[in-house]
Amino acid sequence: MFSINMKMFVQGISIVALTGAGVSAESGVPTFRGPEGLWRTFRPEDLATPEAFARNPTLVWEWYDWRRRRIAACQPNPAHRVLAEMEATLPDFILITQNVDGLHQAAGSRKVLELHGNIWRVRCTRCGKVVEDRRVPLPEIPPHCACGGLLRPDVVWFGEPLPTDVLQQAWEAAKRCRCMLIIGTSALVQPAASLPVIAKQSGAYLVEVNVADTPLTSLADEVLRGPAGEVLPRWWEARRASLSGWRCQ
Ligand code: BJW
Ligand code: ZN
């Protein structure tokens, strides 16, 4: 049972949602781990590390171009939409995502901290310029910058640091929030998987939404077992009236 009481809201509650690939699964975006996950067919060390890109940028770009084409055909699902509604309704709501697909923004979310970058941006390995490029398929693989440098996807690969300012904001939100929704993540990838632990240590109420157990399940105060697009709208519907209308102090 949801046990955050009204006193907490009067004092000013902040809610943080941390999402992973599972939130986009019902939109048709493949997850990474799990029975039909990308890592069942592809090896992360061949495709999602800076070393893999240095070895074979064409192979890496072919994989990203294929994923971009798949994602371009996907629409936000009810879980994305309800998270956008939470942002519009709650005075202090932040969405932290590990996803690179941009579906939260497509659903209307604006306060989004992207921990692992965005597949619709490219970054020059020579001049560092970052630009949005939504062309599918890309006309040139691997693509190049106007400066002649090789472009890479503006995402975070294994062994690379997360964007400092984004991680800092996520860390602060985790420390200060009173409730964290952990949605569709296997919670295996660091440092993202530590954010709920930080929130819990700071006294937050944890709600996990997932079709399966994760290393965080035993830490959660409430576990919503099922597809995010079904269980999250129901959870929100039951709480919207009591959660909205309060202002943070
Ligand atoms: C549903 C559902 C439905 C399905 N409804 N639910 C400490 C300990 C050990 C290792 C490390 C450590 N610290 C760092 C590391 C190394 C590494 C790491 O964590 N490795 C572990 C895997 C062992 N971390 C890093 O390298 C990170 N960098 C870093 O720490 O840098 C430090 C540094 C500092 C200074 C200098 C240099 C370095 C970077 C991690 C980058 C991760 N990148 C990827 C690819 C992004 C780009 C791309 O998309 O191509 O990010 S990997 C992949 O995993 C992707 C995801 O964002 C991430 C997390 O996956 P996620 O979202 O959890 O998806 P799944 O598939 O795992 O889970 C889906 C879940 O949904 C499941 O639970 C399902 O049950 C559920 N589900 N359908 C609800 N309908
Ligand atoms: Zn350049």
Side-chain angles (χ1 to χ4, degrees), residues 19-23 25-26 31-34 37-39 47-48 63-64 67 98-100 116 119 155-162 183-191 209-214 226-229:
T19 64
V23 80
E26 289 152 82
T31 62
F32 292 92
R33 295 154 190 95
L38 292 169
W39 296 155
L47 297 163
W63 187 62
Y64 276 94
R67 285 179 58 203
Q98 298 167 82
N99 298 347
V100 299
H116 295 160
I119 203 166
V155 299
V156 181
W157 287 322
F158 284 115
E160 294 188 315
L162 277 62
I183 307 160
T185 177
S186 59
L188 293 172
V189 174
Q190 296 293 348
V209 180
N210 204 304
V211 292
D213 275 7
T214 77

Side-chain angles (χ1 to χ4, degrees), residues 82-192:
V82 92
L83 287 164
E85 194 185 323
M86 285 184 201
E87 179 187 307
T89 311
L90 299 167
D92 191 7
F93 178 85
I94 290 178
L95 178 56
I96 305 171
T97 189
Q98 298 167 82
N99 298 347
V100 299
D101 56 33
L103 287 178
H104 285 304
Q105 291 89 336
S109 287
R110 292 293 166 263
K111 284 192 270 177
V112 184
L113 296 175
E114 293 181 321
L115 293 177
H116 295 160
N118 190 299
I119 203 166
W120 299 113
R121 291 192 306 259
V122 294
R123 185 165 89 233
C124 180
T125 57
R126 186 186 288 171
C127 72
K129 192 171 168 191
V130 176
V131 294
E132 185 177 293
D133 186 342
R134 290 186 167 263
R135 290 174 297 170
V136 281
L138 283 165
E140 179 201 20
I141 287 186
H144 288 83
C145 178
C147 81
L150 184 63
L151 291 170
R152 59 162 284 176
D154 190 29
V155 299
V156 181
W157 287 322
F158 284 115
E160 294 188 315
L162 277 62
T164 313
D165 53 332
V166 174
L167 185 58
Q168 183 65 33
Q169 288 179 65
W171 221 251
E172 277 161 20
K175 272 194 269 183
R176 151 180 99 78
C177 72
R178 304 298 294 270
C179 173
M180 183 179 275
L181 304 169
I182 310 151
I183 307 160
T185 177
S186 59
L188 293 172
V189 174
Q190 296 293 348

